[in-house]
Amino acid sequence: MTLFRDRSGPRIKHVADEGAPYETITVDKLTPIIGGEIDGVDLRDISNQQMDEIHRALTENCVIFFRDQHLTQEQHLDFGRRFGELHIHPAAPAEPGHPELMIIYADKDSPRANGEGWHSDVSCDPEPPMGSILYIRKCPPKGGDTLFANMYAAYEALSDRMKTYLEGLTARHTGEHYRGQYANYGIKDKESYPFADHPVVRTHPVTGKKALYVNEGFTRYINGIPRDESTGILNYLYKHMANPLFQCRFRWQENSIAFWDNRCVQHHAMWDYWPHTRSGNRVTVKGDRPY
Ligand code: SIN
């Protein structure tokens, strides 16, 4: 895939050919830029070759989806552990006895829903998660979709001048907005929440490709430049990365799973289903310090 800018904005010039065919799974791309729905696998019982191909599908599509999966909480955790050590969220509620199993829940009495607004999960951590595996068990009759955006594509479509400007800059990410967010679960605020400085453009440790790594949820300012300039640049980048060209939108059904790579993807959950209920769990896999 090659993206470029002309006077009217980002465009696709070329979509690269697929690699070798998959042998143990099928992958149906949602768009040429991002998202692949995987079929032919029961996540309770995965062969090593299927694991390798799932990994490859994640790398190639940035976010992958599975339908009609029937995992217990333990099996969901076990699937996550096959990708690395699990992350514990610094603020959100978890299932009793399973601190790594984050609760995703909104109903008619909820003051808010998880993940509204574009973000990369917990980017305020010094070592933010590599990936998140969301299993939705109960869906509203309509709505509750999740949008995903490809941050390699967003980076690639910047002008060369903007890429040069951003080179070497870091930005401050904080989790201070978690304060008060989970009061309805009886969770008291912590004295402090994580914060970290990360490169504005990070290099993915597996693909070696560059991806934009600032997000509206956690990034507060770019370091080392005047604050008004930082606000202007961040607002430009947020508008740029929200271009639908870089996105796919997943329509959930009960027992679907989405697995996204936080190092090159941002996501945005829609809370458009009030007064209905949407619920599930997220298992989050630890990552490395961005560079
Ligand atoms: C999140 O993990 O940010 C929530 C996403 C969703 O509920 O779709």
Side-chain angles (χ1 to χ4, degrees), residues 154-167:
Y155 173 74
E156 202 179 315
L158 292 171
S159 70
D160 288 342
R161 280 186 186 274
M162 181 56 81
K163 286 179 185 160
T164 303
Y165 176 83
L166 298 178
E167 192 67 42

Side-chain angles (χ1 to χ4, degrees), residues 115-121 215-218 265-268 282:
E116 294 175 85
W118 286 106
H119 66 288
S120 171
D121 288 326
N215 67 84
E216 282 188 271
F218 292 96
V265 170
Q266 290 191 30
H267 58 286
H268 181 319
R282 193 180 90 195

